[in-house]
Amino acid sequence: MSRPARPLVMGIVNVTPDSFSDGGLYADTASALAHGRTLLDQGADILDVGGESTRPGATRPLVAEELDRVVPVISGLAGLGAVVSVDTMRSEVAAAALEAGARIVNDVSGGLADPAVLDVVADSDATYVAMHWRAHSDRMADFATYDGPGGVVGAVVAELGERLEAARAAGIDDDRIVLDPGLGFAKRGEHNWQLLAHLDAVAALGRPLLVGASRKSFLGTLLAGPDGTPRPPAEREHAHAALVPLLADQGVWCLRVHDVRATCDALAAWQAFRSTPAPQE
Ligand code: PMM
């Protein structure tokens, strides 16, 4: 019995002082490299290196700061043979990251923050992840309104479809484009659940999907204590692990996660379950 293809696991390496879930833990090159190596040992297929925190309310680093954070980490991890993704909205950073060995540009703005990212990717052979996004983190809460027909799912499909067209128009071939519904970005809790429950509508755009649910605040709210205090980010893993087989069943291409081991374990159980044959008559 063949085993079903499983989603790829993208391990997160945030080289930032202020990411909401792991801010400051891997802010220097040496600890980010060590963390990347640990995630590879745990089974990560891709390492996503980011130098800008996108937590709600975050202010942006200077371009030079972002470059200083990510380039040495990308060179080091690519030098180990890892498939490295750069999590950036900036064309200068995307270009330097590709030069340093990154093979994926993960642009949470889908080309809206800096349209020249699309040209940088078009001039390379890198994969492009276009995420649904409406505004920078310091203002995104003001844009979490989805009153049109189809609600949040209809809006994300329409707006992500526009980003897909922009990427194509810039010259990025379809087989290099991945789409992401952007959980937590200008989304309130119920918006994230709507998107997770109706990912098929996003998949109907015809491109592979990447999903980043790991440690997001909608899980903290779900697991809030009796006084309403959200569960802290590092204690949201069990709820995320429960989502993993559901996402795998929907054919998601890649899961962007903090806890690579927990995700790989959940996928191993899912694969064993889905590849078990029916009893013989
Ligand atoms: N989420 C964050 C950062 N980058 N990239 C993609 N493609 N999808 C996401 O959902 C996503 C992302 C924010 O989460 P973090 O601060 O825990 O890295």
Side-chain angles (χ1 to χ4, degrees), residues 105-208:
V105 174
N106 172 25
D107 177 356
V108 299
S109 82
L112 283 172
D114 177 0
V117 169
L118 300 176
D119 303 318
V120 168
V121 177
D123 288 342
S124 73
D125 59 3
T127 296
Y128 182 62
V129 180
M131 200 191 77
H132 177 262
W133 180 94
R134 284 184 161 182
H136 286 290
S137 300
D138 56 348
R139 295 191 314 136
M140 69 180 172
D142 301 339
F143 291 82
T145 305
Y146 299 93
D147 294 334
V152 65
V153 176
V156 166
V157 170
E159 293 167 29
L160 213 41
E162 288 171 14
R163 304 325 304 154
L164 173 60
E165 284 311 321
R168 285 173 172 153
I172 307 174
D173 295 334
D174 264 40
D175 62 1
R176 293 201 281 136
I177 304 175
V178 172
L179 300 176
D180 181 335
L183 301 180
F185 287 78
K187 318 274 184 323
R188 291 197 303 274
E190 71 268 24
H191 299 141
N192 299 301
W193 290 112
Q194 282 283 330
L195 286 163
L196 282 169
H198 299 288
L199 270 186
D200 53 329
V202 188
L205 288 167
R207 303 309 316 137

Side-chain angles (χ1 to χ4, degrees), residues 10 12-14 16 18-23 48 50 52-56 85 87-88 105-108 129-132 178-185 210-216 256-258:
M10 173 185 266
I12 300 169
V13 182
N14 280 328
T16 55
D18 58 344
S19 284
F20 79 94
S21 55
D22 52 8
D48 190 38
E52 171 174 358
S53 167
T54 47
R55 81 182 150 71
S85 158
D87 185 344
T88 188
V105 174
N106 172 25
D107 177 356
V108 299
V129 180
M131 200 191 77
H132 177 262
V178 172
L179 300 176
D180 181 335
L183 301 180
F185 287 78
L210 186 150
V211 173
S214 177
R215 299 189 182 176
K216 292 264 165 88
R256 181 182 180 278
V257 304
H258 299 85

Side-chain angles (χ1 to χ4, degrees), residues 41 62 183 211 270:
D41 289 346
L62 300 172
L183 301 180
V211 173
W270 171 80

